Amino acid sequence: MTLVVTLVEISTLVVIHNMQQHDSKENAILEVQTITKSLNNDFLQVILNPSTDTLADISYRLSAFKKINGIVLFNDKNEPIFQYGTIEKIKSLQEEIIKSSDLFSQENLFMKKNLVADGYTFGFTLIDINLSEYQRKQELITWTILGILPFALLLGFIISLYLSKSYTKPFTKLLNAMKKSDPTNNVLIEVQTSSNNEIKELFNGFNHLMKEVFNSSKKLHFQIEHDQLTSIKNRFFIEKELLEVLKDESETNYNLLYINLDQFKLINDSAGYEAGDALLKMIVSEYGKIIPDNSTFARVDGDGFMVLLKNSSRESALEFLEKSLSKLRDFRFVWESEAYTISASIGFVSFKPYEYTLKELIKITNSTIYNAKALGRNKSYIFNPADDVAQRFNRELETATFVKEALSNGPSKFELFAQAIVPLQYETDEVSYEILIRMWDKENNFIPPDSFLPTAQRYQLMAEIDIWVLWTYLECVTQNKQHIDKLHSAHINLAGSSLTNPDFQAKVKEAVMHFNFPWSKLELEVTETSAVGNFNKANEFIVWLKNVGIGLALDDFGTGMASFEYLKSLPFDVVKIDGSFVKDMHNDPIDKAVIRYIHEISELKGQETVAEYVETQEDVDVLREIGITYGQGYFLGKPKPLVEWL
Amino acid sequence: MKQILFILSLLLNLTILQASSLRVEADTLQNNLSKYKILDTRDENIYSRGHILHALNFPVSLTYEDKTINGKLTSPLKMQKIIQNLGLNTKDTLVVYDDGSFFDASRLFWTLEVYGFSNVKLLNAGYKQWSAKDFSTSTETSIVQKSDYISIVNNKRLATKFTTQIATKNPSHVIVDARGLNAYLGKESAAKRFGHIPKAISIPATHNINYNKELTELKGDKALKELYKEININQKVIIYCAIGKIASTNYFAMRELGYDVSNYDASWREWGNDFALPIVQELKK
């Protein structure tokens, strides 16, 4: 930059100098022409009428021109007739001057000028002009330029320095601002300039960009920590906070409420998601009003909320729990002129830092809400570390996992057992049995059915289990033709829900197509309690079963609320009398009467009966006497693995 | 530096000028004959009878264009030939002399100065004294080679009507009337009008001369200084007379004193007859 400025300056000065030199030559020629033109007539007069006076006057005039060194006047015969000043140089260069008409030497300009009047040349003059005047001027200019040069250079240097500095200054400024800015953490450095050029554009662009980054990261921060629908805190945030308070060094007591809306799914299904969303917003705004200041309110799943009460005593927290329950009791909500009522169940946990891990705490809140739900609508469940229900819940979770494993590839596994069903009224070679399911966990510990089946039911795994049992049994026995021939009937238990389960129905139909089995030898047992409510919905499927020849058995009859109406209206082929009647029939005549009564009705309908829990010969004798078709129990045969039957 | 040198050389020149008078004594000339070109102003026949050794003949009559009319200088074309034929160059150092009357010698002195010669001296007391001292003489005319002299007119030595008119206005110029007092006063005139040029002061030519027996001689420096004391040495002087003959006496005297002086050779005959020009007539006042 500086170098360029210097070079430009020097070359400019050189150019000026050269122009000046050229100019001064031109000027000299021009001046001579002017002088000779003005003296033209006088010279003519000298040629025509030379007199001393004329010459004196001309000399006088010429003396005014200091630059004229000398003049020689020639007449038309090329004879010199007058001279002025010193003419030695003219004389020595005469020939050359005449030839070239203007001639520059170191200090002189020589010119030949013709004396012309009306086109006739009367003679000519040779003029010697002193250029020292011009040269002095020239030198003066040169010296002036040389004198100016250092200052010009210095000035140029300073200007270029200033310019380059002022050019880089905004960029350094920008760089600093960039280094210091941290828009994601709310540190904004704004750059400013008074200039009105690209720099300003750049600065404005930078400022704008930083502000954008700041705003969007603020928005992002908000979105990360907030629920999009209700704008309260989300699961991410509250879990982060829980993680922090669990590590809190103080002995502060914390209370956590887990609120779950009762039957929210119903509203979502019947009124639509929009209604559900509106309801959630409304609950947040209404319930939000009573949330204490020093607490966190977050939406943690579709219909679940958490309130973390910080620094609150257990008593005040329990007070708040009651308040919450009443606030969320029969919460009325109107959507498209339809009124809905909704309530919420609340789980409650008190904890201190380091008491639980986050994972444990979440697990506990899940179990409390489960327990609260189990108590009915709008109930709360307060967690007690010693609570066996909670432990059971833990076990159940575990059990559900085992079931899932057994259904797929292990390591837990199911095994089919069978217990004999023995005819009481006649002797036969044929066999009948009820298929039972047994489960072993990964360590080969036996898990009783009454332990895992309710869990499977709660986790809606029954249809899968029923499919597994049916399919596995059929696969097993269809490979043994002899056994099938010997088989009188095989009873397989079904959950009532399986009857209405489309997957189960499809699987049964597939089995009928797939296996070569005498379907009339298959009886599907459904308990009285689960049959209620499901049978009506499964009507079509039951008709199909009947057509195929598959029989239906009513299990555990007498335990439920079912009336004899069922026996009348439902299409059962076999009725299994609950063991509790059999166990007490020797002591309680009512029980015995009930057995007898059931038998009579069944007989009227053409249904066979099975008595469970047969443990003694005495039992067999009484039941045979009543007329019960089959007996089942330890006395008649313990359950044993299916493979042993084959 | 140049300027300092210039001033130094100027000072040197001045001392030289003052040391070397425009007059040359016969003794000096005799000893340095070879250094000078000597010009004899007398008529050719007188010259041929005897002249200073090597002297060339330049009869004073050749300095007049027409002596019968007035004292005007010979025209340049003629003069160029005369000078060329005498083989003279403007750089030559010349000594002019006459019979001792001083008028002719000063006339030629002036003529040569007008025509561009810068080193012209005048032999004091002329040939009369030279022959009396019995210095080298000759009757032979030296043969000279023609020079390439071109007419040059020194306007500082020759005044014209134009420059004189300027002088009447310019206060730094002085005009000297070399005629007799009567002419100056307008009692007599060689022209149609009587009087003198405006601003002119009267210093008659005769006042420069000492008439010593038959020998006429320019007065000494002292006397001359007394005569011209009214005129400042820095002033430019124009001298005129009746017809331009005798003013050369004043001219030489003032040159001798170091004045910048020019001679208006057309003189009163031109000025007095040109009715367009202003005059002063003391008597009619």
Side-chain angles (χ1 to χ4, degrees):
Chain A
M1 179 82 172
T2 310
L3 191 71
V4 171
V5 169
T6 312
L7 283 177
V8 167
E9 266 181 25
I10 290 176
S11 49
T12 309
L13 291 178
V14 168
V15 166
I16 289 174
H17 185 256
N18 284 345
M19 274 168 57
Q20 190 64 39
Q21 215 157 31
H22 184 253
D23 263 16
S24 68
K25 281 190 177 179
E26 294 250 296
N27 283 344
I29 292 175
L30 216 67
E31 200 165 329
V32 173
Q33 277 168 344
T34 313
I35 294 169
T36 50
K37 215 173 251 176
S38 72
L39 291 171
N40 194 54
N41 286 346
D42 295 289
F43 284 133
L44 274 178
Q45 214 181 343
V46 171
I47 288 171
L48 296 173
N49 176 31
S51 81
T52 49
D53 283 3
T54 325
L55 292 184
D57 284 346
I58 283 178
S59 296
Y60 176 73
R61 266 187 235 180
L62 288 174
S63 68
F65 303 105
K66 295 280 188 286
K67 286 166 195 149
I68 299 176
N69 279 337
I71 294 180
V72 182
L73 177 65
F74 291 79
N75 61 13
D76 53 355
K77 290 166 195 133
N78 284 347
E79 293 164 349
I81 56 166
F82 173 64
Q83 62 161 303
Y84 167 80
T86 55
I87 60 163
E88 278 74 18
K89 282 177 181 167
I90 295 177
K91 270 184 179 169
S92 62
L93 293 167
Q94 192 167 325
E95 299 303 315
E96 287 169 62
I97 299 164
I98 288 168
K99 246 187 260 168
S100 63
S101 92
D102 61 72
L103 183 73
F104 281 94
S105 78
Q106 194 64 32
E107 289 185 334
N108 306 71
L109 163 64
F110 301 101
M111 287 190 81
K112 179 200 171 201
K113 297 304 290 181
N114 286 336
L115 295 169
V116 181
D118 290 336
Y120 180 74
T121 307
F122 289 89
F124 62 89
T125 51
L126 297 183
I127 305 173
D128 172 3
I129 296 291
N130 185 1
L131 289 180
S132 65
E133 181 83 4
Y134 292 108
Q135 247 156 5
R136 245 204 319 283
K137 258 189 207 163
Q138 188 62 50
E139 272 169 28
L140 191 72
I141 288 162
T142 307
W143 283 114
T144 310
I145 285 171
L146 283 176
I148 288 169
L149 187 65
F151 293 102
L153 281 179
L154 193 70
L155 194 71
F157 179 73
I158 291 167
I159 287 172
S160 65
L161 210 67
Y162 171 75
L163 277 182
S164 60
K165 213 165 188 183
S166 68
Y167 269 123
T168 53
K169 199 177 162 191
F171 295 107
T172 351
K173 214 167 162 186
L174 200 60
L175 190 69
N176 279 337
M178 261 184 206
K179 278 181 185 164
K180 286 178 190 159
S181 286
D182 190 358
T184 57
N185 281 324
N186 206 0
V187 181
L188 276 185
I189 306 285
E190 203 167 316
V191 282
Q192 271 168 342
T193 175
S194 56
S195 56
N196 211 354
N197 50 17
E198 294 84 350
I199 298 295
K200 189 170 189 176
E201 301 264 316
L202 190 65
F203 277 24
N204 286 346
F206 174 79
N207 291 339
H208 180 69
L209 198 70
M210 283 301 175
K211 221 167 265 171
E212 285 286 293
V213 173
F214 169 70
N215 286 338
S216 57
S217 53
K218 210 163 107 177
K219 210 162 145 191
L220 214 61
H221 270 301
F222 186 85
Q223 282 177 352
I224 283 170
E225 295 181 341
H226 290 76
D227 177 52
Q228 254 176 314
L229 178 67
T230 59
S231 293
I232 58 170
K233 296 288 194 301
N234 59 11
R235 176 178 278 276
F236 171 83
F237 179 83
I238 201 160
E239 284 191 355
K240 206 172 85 178
E241 196 172 26
L242 285 171
L243 213 57
E244 275 166 28
V245 302
L246 284 170
K247 283 186 219 159
D248 188 1
E249 292 295 332
S250 68
E251 283 291 294
T252 320
N253 194 50
Y254 293 97
N255 297 285
L256 185 64
L257 276 76
Y258 184 23
I259 302 155
N260 194 276
L261 302 182
D262 297 326
Q263 291 173 326
F264 175 70
K265 199 168 171 289
L266 197 69
I267 290 182
N268 245 357
D269 288 350
S270 55
Y273 284 102
E274 282 178 45
D277 287 350
L279 171 62
L280 288 169
K281 281 185 184 174
M282 199 170 155
I283 284 172
V284 164
S285 93
E286 280 301 308
Y287 179 59
K289 286 175 187 168
I290 64 162
I291 306 274
D293 282 345
N294 194 18
S295 56
T296 303
F297 182 31
R299 181 176 175 220
V300 294
D301 50 46
D303 54 356
F305 300 90
M306 275 190 187
V307 179
L308 175 64
L309 301 167
K310 288 171 268 190
N311 252 331
S312 62
S313 66
R314 189 175 161 84
E315 288 68 36
S316 66
L318 285 171
E319 228 167 82
F320 174 67
L321 175 63
E322 283 309 311
K323 211 168 148 190
S324 298
L325 277 176
S326 74
K327 184 87 189 174
L328 295 168
R329 178 178 301 137
D330 296 330
F331 190 87
R332 284 184 65 77
F333 167 68
V334 179
W335 180 259
E336 286 173 351
S337 67
E338 288 273 337
Y340 300 88
T341 310
I342 195 159
S343 58
S345 307
I346 303 176
F348 180 92
V349 187
S350 288
F351 64 94
K352 282 186 161 56
Y354 295 104
E355 198 174 343
Y356 306 106
T357 65
L358 177 64
K359 210 172 164 185
E360 284 165 350
L361 192 60
I362 297 295
K363 209 167 162 185
I364 289 164
T365 54
N366 284 340
S367 76
T368 55
I369 200 69
Y370 171 83
N371 289 324
K373 291 265 183 194
L375 295 168
R377 292 187 190 182
N378 197 230
K379 292 286 187 302
S380 64
Y381 182 85
I382 296 158
F383 176 75
N384 175 4
D387 200 335
D388 61 345
V389 178
Q391 281 170 10
R392 196 187 73 196
F393 174 75
N394 286 344
R395 265 204 316 277
E396 237 179 19
L397 261 182
E398 213 170 34
T399 308
T401 312
F402 293 151
V403 171
K404 280 178 189 166
E405 281 172 9
L407 281 171
S408 47
N409 299 318
S412 318
K413 59 178 191 294
F414 290 135
E415 194 179 354
L416 294 182
F417 273 54
Q419 187 176 29
I421 298 173
V422 181
L424 298 176
Q425 306 301 333
Y426 57 92
E427 294 283 328
T428 179
D429 287 341
E430 290 179 325
V431 291
S432 295
Y433 44 71
E434 182 186 355
I435 299 295
L436 301 168
I437 190 166
R438 295 289 178 265
M439 188 171 82
W440 284 267
D441 70 7
K442 54 183 174 185
E443 273 133 23
N444 226 20
N445 298 314
F446 177 72
I447 299 166
D450 59 352
S451 169
F452 74 84
L453 286 177
T455 304
Q457 204 146 26
R458 262 196 289 279
Y459 285 82
Q460 288 167 356
L461 294 164
M462 284 314 295
E464 279 183 74
I465 291 173
D466 291 344
I467 289 167
W468 188 90
V469 170
L470 180 68
W471 205 264
T472 310
Y473 170 74
L474 287 169
E475 260 184 347
C476 189
V477 295
T478 48
Q479 284 168 14
N480 196 326
K481 189 84 174 62
Q482 278 186 329
H483 179 73
I484 292 176
D485 288 344
K486 225 171 76 179
L487 183 70
H488 174 69
S489 72
H491 289 235
I492 291 177
N493 289 290
L494 284 192
S497 56
S498 295
L499 270 182
T500 56
N501 187 301
D503 289 343
F504 179 78
Q505 291 179 358
K507 210 69 190 175
V508 172
K509 285 174 184 172
E510 194 187 330
V512 169
M513 303 292 288
H514 189 262
F515 295 106
N516 183 18
F517 185 81
W519 298 105
S520 57
K521 293 184 176 179
L522 183 64
E523 296 282 340
L524 297 178
E525 291 186 8
V526 182
T527 60
E528 185 199 333
T529 43
S530 71
V532 178
N534 284 318
F535 252 75
N536 292 332
K537 290 181 197 162
N539 221 0
E540 209 177 308
F541 180 59
I542 289 165
V543 170
W544 181 84
L545 288 172
K546 287 280 168 195
N547 285 337
V548 176
I550 297 172
L552 285 171
L554 184 61
D555 203 4
D556 300 339
F557 186 74
T559 52
M561 310 300 294
S563 63
F564 283 94
E565 190 67 26
Y566 276 112
L567 290 179
K568 242 172 82 183
S569 58
L570 295 177
F572 291 108
D573 307 299
V574 179
V575 175
K576 294 183 83 172
I577 301 159
D578 192 70
S580 57
F581 293 103
V582 177
K583 207 165 86 185
D584 294 330
M585 65 180 177
H586 300 297
N587 308 320
D588 189 340
I590 296 174
D591 281 351
K592 198 175 175 179
V594 168
I595 294 168
R596 194 182 297 275
Y597 193 43
I598 292 170
H599 169 71
E600 279 171 10
I601 292 172
S602 299
E603 205 163 40
L604 284 173
K605 276 211 77 179
Q607 296 163 328
E608 290 180 319
T609 49
V610 178
E612 293 171 326
Y613 222 73
V614 179
E615 302 221 306
T616 60
Q617 183 58 47
E618 201 184 355
D619 292 344
V620 173
D621 294 341
V622 173
L623 293 169
R624 186 174 284 157
E625 186 265 322
I626 292 172
I628 298 296
T629 321
Y630 302 99
Q632 187 182 352
Y634 274 26
F635 179 74
L636 295 171
K638 289 183 181 173
K640 56 183 183 184
L642 179 63
V643 285
E644 290 180 22
W645 288 86
L646 303 175
Chain B
M1 190 64 192
K2 264 186 179 172
Q3 280 179 329
I4 295 168
L5 275 177
F6 178 72
I7 291 165
L8 278 176
S9 64
L10 203 69
L11 285 169
L12 209 65
N13 280 343
L14 281 172
T15 53
I16 291 166
L17 277 174
Q18 282 194 337
S20 69
S21 156
L22 292 176
R23 280 180 284 186
V24 177
E25 292 304 324
D27 297 341
T28 319
L29 184 61
Q30 173 61 30
N31 293 332
N32 299 289
L33 270 178
S34 58
K35 281 188 187 171
Y36 299 97
K37 283 188 175 175
I38 304 156
L39 296 175
D40 190 328
T41 61
R42 298 170 302 163
D43 287 348
E44 196 181 352
N45 55 343
I46 301 169
Y47 165 80
S48 60
R49 268 184 260 140
H51 52 260
I52 297 173
L53 187 63
H54 302 320
L56 298 170
N57 188 215
F58 195 145
V60 78
S61 57
L62 290 180
T63 67
Y64 295 94
E65 180 69 22
D66 189 349
K67 200 177 179 181
T68 58
I69 302 167
N70 56 27
K72 271 197 80 68
L73 275 172
T74 312
S75 69
L77 284 180
K78 282 190 209 162
M79 186 54 79
Q80 182 171 314
K81 278 194 185 115
I82 294 163
I83 292 170
Q84 281 178 355
N85 288 335
L86 286 169
L88 301 178
N89 283 307
T90 49
K91 293 277 153 57
D92 294 339
T93 306
L94 304 177
V95 174
V96 296
Y97 71 92
D98 58 11
D99 52 4
S101 66
F102 181 71
F103 286 110
D104 290 342
S106 63
R107 167 78 186 187
L108 183 58
F109 175 87
W110 167 65
T111 303
L112 288 170
E113 283 210 326
V114 168
Y115 272 103
F117 290 86
S118 48
N119 287 315
V120 189
K121 292 180 187 299
L122 191 146
L123 180 63
N124 210 16
Y127 192 70
K128 203 174 256 178
Q129 197 187 56
W130 183 272
S131 53
K133 289 203 169 183
D134 205 15
F135 286 155
S136 315
T137 59
S138 166
T139 53
E140 310 247 318
T141 305
S142 302
I143 295 158
V144 293
Q145 201 169 358
K146 208 175 155 185
S147 76
D148 59 355
Y149 170 80
I150 304 163
S151 295
I152 177 168
V153 174
N154 188 343
N155 63 303
K156 286 181 174 177
R157 302 293 165 248
L158 178 67
T160 62
K161 185 161 74 182
F162 173 62
T163 54
T164 308
Q165 271 181 293
I166 292 168
T168 61
K169 305 284 181 190
N170 193 332
S172 68
H173 289 197
V174 176
I175 303 170
V176 173
D177 191 330
R179 296 176 298 169
L181 191 60
N182 284 340
Y184 177 81
L185 295 172
K187 288 177 183 168
E188 54 185 55
S189 178
K192 289 170 187 165
R193 299 192 295 175
F194 293 76
H196 59 85
I197 294 172
K199 232 182 81 178
I201 57 169
S202 176
I203 303 172
T206 48
H207 292 194
N208 299 291
I209 310 291
N210 278 331
Y211 296 93
N212 194 359
K213 301 164 200 171
E214 307 104 60
L215 207 67
T216 51
E217 198 181 41
L218 193 65
K219 283 181 177 170
D221 278 359
K222 231 180 189 175
L224 288 176
K225 272 178 188 163
E226 179 62 28
L227 187 62
Y228 293 102
K229 66 179 177 194
E230 287 175 51
I231 302 167
N232 192 302
I233 193 77
N234 294 323
Q235 284 179 306
K236 277 182 101 171
V237 182
I238 290 178
I239 309 163
Y240 74 95
C241 58
I243 58 168
K245 275 183 180 174
I246 55 164
S248 55
T249 318
N250 292 54
Y251 172 83
F252 184 81
M254 294 192 77
R255 289 281 291 124
E256 178 86 342
L257 290 175
Y259 285 104
D260 181 5
V261 59
S262 61
N263 194 357
Y264 176 30
D265 66 340
S267 287
W268 186 249
R269 179 157 288 183
E270 183 179 69
W271 194 282
N273 284 327
D274 191 339
F275 284 80
L277 299 172
I279 58 166
V280 175
Q281 197 180 359
E282 303 279 343
L283 287 178
K284 289 193 175 173
K285 273 182 194 171

